[in-house]
């Protein structure tokens, strides 16, 4: 199972969220192969007056770049400026051979593939400066179905290439991974979910590129997504984890010392996919969006609005095709967060536009044309330097990735 996120990497010790404001220092943007047709987003109702230039900013269109060969069965993708040239690159774990890096040229093009070994069946990756040299490194959750499970750490050689992986043990089947400073010492730590036990392993970082033994905190069956944020306003990082097997969303409260306690569990009614995070109703509190599927035609994105005390109020259920990866970003540049969803079984990307009140409009389906793939993860980033959010997706079936570059609408 998988999860997600989009932020451009910032080399500072802050929370990294997969699929969420896919806006933290670790996870960021993804790709998928396909023929991405142009579509435009129409205005939606707002609770407040929109920006005066909304007519110019309310439309979104894309054109395709790729596909890019990745191989394996990619479940996740992350973007960051790995080689320090000021342009976003992307990295995808490849179940067959390691992690695959494509270097961006700042104009929407990418060079690669460049493959670095990262253990047996790498599943997910977090990006962060783990040894304090100012360069983004890679922490890879590896070992599902193989030997030597744990986190494979690949340190940056200062040019966007990576040294040989060092294994830090975790439980038997690492799946999702996120990096953040969980104990407040200014050094990045790791949260790793286990696909078999459902537990969460916390590995505290030394700041030198090493990690201590995992502290294990109880979870539920088959985690699918993880995000990191301060959900109760105590300035200590918490976790939100969506679970495929137990069909729920769990909130784990952090104590600021690297320990976590489950404080809320929200039943979802069916299997969960990834979770995304952002302030969807502009109240200054973090909200959550969770993919819920295997109940077609009622597959949906479940919105949970944060109360600021660590609890959440169930909100809208946005009907979509077959949600897997999802990311929150302002795709139509109206000042409100929208959601982009990789629709696994329907071979498309779906966009739902937020209105700033926690509500989302009808889905806009972005078809992938004649290409038949299984888009599994999605994120956003500005890959060509035009200041507009682009999309990238990872294709599980074809082992490829595609970038959808934002462009000016024709009308």
């Amino acid at each position: 199972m998988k999860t997600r996120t989009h932020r451009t990497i910032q080399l500072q010790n802050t929370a990294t969220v997969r699929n969420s404001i896919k806006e933290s220092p670790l996870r960021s943007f993804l790709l998928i192969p396909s023929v991405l047709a142009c579509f435009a987003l129409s205005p939606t109702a707002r609770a407040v007056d929109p920006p005066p230039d909304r007519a110019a900013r309310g439309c979104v269109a894309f054109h395709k770049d790729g596909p890019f060969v990745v191989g394996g069965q990619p479940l996740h993708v992350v973007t960051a400026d790995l080689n320090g040239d000021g342009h976003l690159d992307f990295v995808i774990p490849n179940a067959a051979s390691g992690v695959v890096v494509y270097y961006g040229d700042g104009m929407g093009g990418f060079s690669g593939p460049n493959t670095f070994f990262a253990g047996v069946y790498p599943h997910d990756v977090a990006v962060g400066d783990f040894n304090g040299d100012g360069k983004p490194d890679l922490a890879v959750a590896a070992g599902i179905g193989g030997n030597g499970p744990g986190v494979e750490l690949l340190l940056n050689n200062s040019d966007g290439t990576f040294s040989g992986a060092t294994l830090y043990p975790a439980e038997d089947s690492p799946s999702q991974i996120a990096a953040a400073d969980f104990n407040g010492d200014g050094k990045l730590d790791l949260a790793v979910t286990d696909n078999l036990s459902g537990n969460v392993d916390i590995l505290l970082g030394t700041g030198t590129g090493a990690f201590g033994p995992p502290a294990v905190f109880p979870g539920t069956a088959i985690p699918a997504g993880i995000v990191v944020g301060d959900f109760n306003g105590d300035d200590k990082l918490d976790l939100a984890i969506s679970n495929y097997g137990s069909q729920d969303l769990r909130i784990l409260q952090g104590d600021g010392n690297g320990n976590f306690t489950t404080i809320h569990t929200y039943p979802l009614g069916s299997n969960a996919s990834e979770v995304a995070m952002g302030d969807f109703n502009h109240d200054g509190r973090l909200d959550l969006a969770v993919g819920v599927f295997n109940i077609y035609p009622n597959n949906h994105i479940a919105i949970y609005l944060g109360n600021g005390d660590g609890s959440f109020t169930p909100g809208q259920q946005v009907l979509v095709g077959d949600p897997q990866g999802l990311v929150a970003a302002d795709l139509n540049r109206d000042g409100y967060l929208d959601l982009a969803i990789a629709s696994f079984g329907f071979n498309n990307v779906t966009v739902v536009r937020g209105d700033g009140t926690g509500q989302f409009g009808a889905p806009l389906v972005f078809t992938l044309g004649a290409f038949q793939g299984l888009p599994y993860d999605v994120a956003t980033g500005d890959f060509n330097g035009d200041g507009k959010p682009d999309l990238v997706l990872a294709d599980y079936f074809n082992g490829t990735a595609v970038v959808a570059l934002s462009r000016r609408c024709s009308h």
Side-chain angles (χ1 to χ4, degrees):
M1 303 293 89
K2 73 165 279 288
T3 61
R4 213 178 180 103
T5 162
H6 81 245
R7 316 131 312 285
T8 302
I9 181 171
Q10 303 168 1
L11 294 180
Q12 57 190 31
N13 298 339
T14 56
T16 137
V17 184
R18 313 180 112 345
N19 316 10
S20 102
I21 307 184
K22 259 176 190 145
E23 313 113 21
S24 99
L26 309 161
R27 279 203 79 110
S28 247
F29 319 106
L30 314 116
L31 325 185
I32 185 171
S34 60
V35 178
L36 297 175
C38 170
F39 71 96
L41 304 186
S42 58
T44 56
R46 312 263 163 210
V48 297
D49 291 337
D53 61 343
R54 185 185 184 291
R57 301 197 304 165
C59 178
V60 173
F62 295 100
H63 64 86
K64 171 203 161 195
D65 187 13
F68 302 96
V69 175
V70 175
Q73 297 169 328
L75 299 177
H76 298 292
V77 57
V78 178
T79 68
D81 180 10
L82 299 174
N83 57 359
D85 64 356
H87 309 312
L88 280 178
D89 314 307
F90 70 85
V91 54
I92 297 182
N94 175 332
S97 59
V99 291
V100 176
V101 174
Y102 275 85
Y103 301 108
D105 62 8
M107 297 181 288
F110 294 85
S111 62
N114 305 276
T115 302
F116 304 93
F117 177 74
V120 179
Y121 198 178
H123 185 276
D124 195 11
V125 59
V127 180
D129 179 13
F130 299 115
N131 62 352
D133 66 353
K135 309 296 181 183
D137 309 307
L138 304 179
V140 183
I144 296 179
N147 298 317
V151 174
E152 298 279 2
L153 183 68
L154 287 75
L155 296 178
N156 198 318
N157 294 321
S158 298
D159 58 0
T161 65
F162 296 88
S163 59
T166 300
L167 176 67
Y168 291 92
E171 290 187 82
D172 291 336
S173 187
S175 54
Q176 322 303 320
I177 188 168
D181 181 9
F182 296 123
N183 61 351
D185 65 355
K187 302 164 186 175
L188 281 177
D189 311 308
L190 297 171
V192 186
T193 61
D194 186 80
N195 199 53
L196 296 179
S197 69
N199 296 332
V200 183
D201 293 0
I202 301 297
L203 286 73
L204 297 180
T206 65
T208 63
F211 294 89
V216 179
F217 300 96
T220 53
I222 313 181
I226 183 171
V227 293
V228 180
D230 179 11
F231 301 128
N232 59 354
D234 64 355
D235 295 324
K236 301 169 184 176
L237 291 178
D238 311 307
L239 302 174
I241 299 175
S242 55
N243 295 284
Y244 172 91
S246 54
Q247 302 183 355
D248 57 32
L249 171 68
R250 291 187 301 125
I251 309 301
L252 284 73
Q253 181 175 300
D255 68 358
N257 294 312
N259 302 303
F260 290 88
T261 303
T262 299
I263 58 171
H264 296 289
T265 300
Y266 299 98
L268 296 172
S270 190
N271 302 120
S273 61
E274 199 163 319
V275 57
M277 182 179 73
D279 182 7
F280 301 135
N281 59 355
H282 277 216
D283 65 354
R285 302 166 180 170
L286 288 174
D287 310 309
L288 300 171
V290 186
V292 182
F293 66 109
N294 280 342
I295 50 171
Y296 185 80
N298 296 314
N299 294 343
H300 61 273
I301 302 297
I303 305 300
Y304 284 83
L305 300 178
N307 297 317
D309 59 0
S311 68
F312 292 80
T313 299
Q316 183 184 12
Q317 294 185 354
V318 187
L319 294 179
V320 295
D322 187 10
Q324 289 298 326
L326 66 157
V327 58
D330 183 7
L331 297 173
N332 57 355
R333 295 175 295 147
D334 63 356
Y336 309 131
L337 286 177
D338 313 303
L339 296 172
I341 303 123
S343 189
F344 184 72
F346 287 75
N347 188 35
N348 65 52
V349 178
T350 300
V351 171
V352 292
R353 298 155 297 166
D355 68 1
T357 71
Q359 294 290 308
F360 292 85
L364 298 171
V365 176
F366 190 30
T367 61
L368 303 183
F371 167 83
Q372 295 299 312
L374 297 174
Y376 209 91
D377 203 3
V378 61
T380 66
D382 182 7
F383 301 115
N384 56 359
D386 64 356
K388 302 173 183 176
D390 308 310
L391 293 179
V392 297
L393 302 94
D395 173 33
Y396 177 88
F397 181 76
N398 289 293
T400 56
V402 164
V403 178
L405 297 173
S406 179
R407 68 173 178 82
R408 192 173 189 82
C409 297
S410 58
H411 59 80

